[in-house]
Amino acid sequence: MTVAALPGALRAEYPLLQTCTYLNSNSTGALPRAVEGVLAQYWNTMRAWRDDTWDRWLSQMQAYADGVAELIGAPAGSVALDTNLSAHLSRLASCLEFTGERRRVVITDLEFPTVPFIWKGFARYGAELVVVPSKDGRVDEAALEAAIDERTLIVCVAHGAFATGAVLDVARIARAAHAAGALIATDAYQTVGTVPVDVRQLDVDFLMGGAHKWLGGSEAAFLYVRPGLLPTLRPAVTGWLAGASPLGFQQTTDYAPDARRMMGGTPAPLMVLLSRPGLELLKDVGIHAVREHSLKLTGQLMARADEAGLRVVTPREPDQRGGVVAMSFPGDAQVTARLVARGFICSHRGFLRAAPHFYNTLEEVDAFMDALIEAQHNEAA
């Protein structure tokens, strides 16, 4: 699909858009109508249950994992699935040895709360957390590089900041990490699906993300692992699906040879099944068309905020912002609540966040900003 054709007929695939002005895909993306058919099929499966359903489900889950791999420029078999990033990051952390001099974990203060919470938990096993402070909602990449040294075991940073949409130059940080002999993991929840992401260009060892935001799916999260690292990873936080032959239901003797070794116990296949239609629609449109449309919409949000004298926290440079525009002004939390009550759906995470996606229009952006400016004036009065 061409950029000029967006969003066009695509909007009809998303029933939520008929009920409100939805600019909240950084929190939860709209689900396509095809999901209703998936739910019906799932019920039909459950009411006529047979154990061989697991063969089909695991095959469908692998197809989804490989579809995500294709989207992020990774080979088939290099992506594992679970329900959330917390599970993936905990499992990844359990592969590491926090002994000797190399035990530091370098993060920033812009990470989603899951990230520091998990790494603090691993302090009991010897992990030493180093937090690089941000300034005005952005990471000082030089300061982050300076924090990486021969004591660093892993760098764990967000590709896109959840509160501000600021995009980090992960490839630059990966070079610094690898030069110091460290690993790098990145949280790409706020970029995959709205920003083109290629794990080869970023040169990351691990990349995590999920379906329920920009990929238009449900609570299915993914973990990419650099293929060359797979044989070295032996997670302590594990389960039967990580074994070499899980459907044999025998005692596990070794891990699976591919990224499935980074999975856990009995999965939630419905979440993956619900996520497949959204991924397919996104891939049909093409991520570069999605990105171009997104930049047009976020640029309009910024221009309207400037005209109204509202502070934009999100970086202006196109290559340094994702799909979110964060605005800060007195009473922004109250204005967010007023907008949501009127059917202009946005969110607040320290700032008012608006996040249009490939199914949104410039007219919706303008209507949203008209309502925001009116609500802000009323709040200030």
Side-chain angles (χ1 to χ4, degrees), residues 251-338:
Q251 294 297 317
T252 298
T253 58
D254 201 1
Y255 295 94
D258 59 8
R260 189 165 47 77
R261 70 170 49 211
M262 299 299 290
M263 293 180 69
T266 302
L270 177 60
M271 301 300 102
V272 176
L273 300 177
L274 295 177
S275 300
R276 293 185 72 182
L279 178 62
E280 290 166 5
L281 277 168
L282 183 92
K283 291 173 76 172
D284 285 345
V285 171
I287 189 60
H288 293 286
V290 170
R291 177 60 168 163
E292 188 173 340
H293 186 67
S294 173
L295 288 173
K296 185 193 313 180
L297 298 179
T298 54
Q300 181 71 355
L301 281 167
M302 290 179 167
R304 290 293 308 275
D306 290 342
E307 291 171 3
L310 305 177
R311 176 179 168 235
V312 174
V313 182
T314 302
R316 304 297 180 130
E317 303 88 338
D319 64 334
Q320 294 181 28
R321 72 176 191 260
V324 185
V325 174
M327 291 169 265
S328 177
F329 50 87
D332 49 20
Q334 291 74 22
V335 168
T336 301
R338 290 188 182 193

Side-chain angles (χ1 to χ4, degrees), residues 145-157:
E145 286 177 315
I148 302 167
D149 59 23
E150 69 281 355
R151 296 167 293 181
T152 304
L153 178 60
I154 189 168
V155 179
C156 185
V157 289

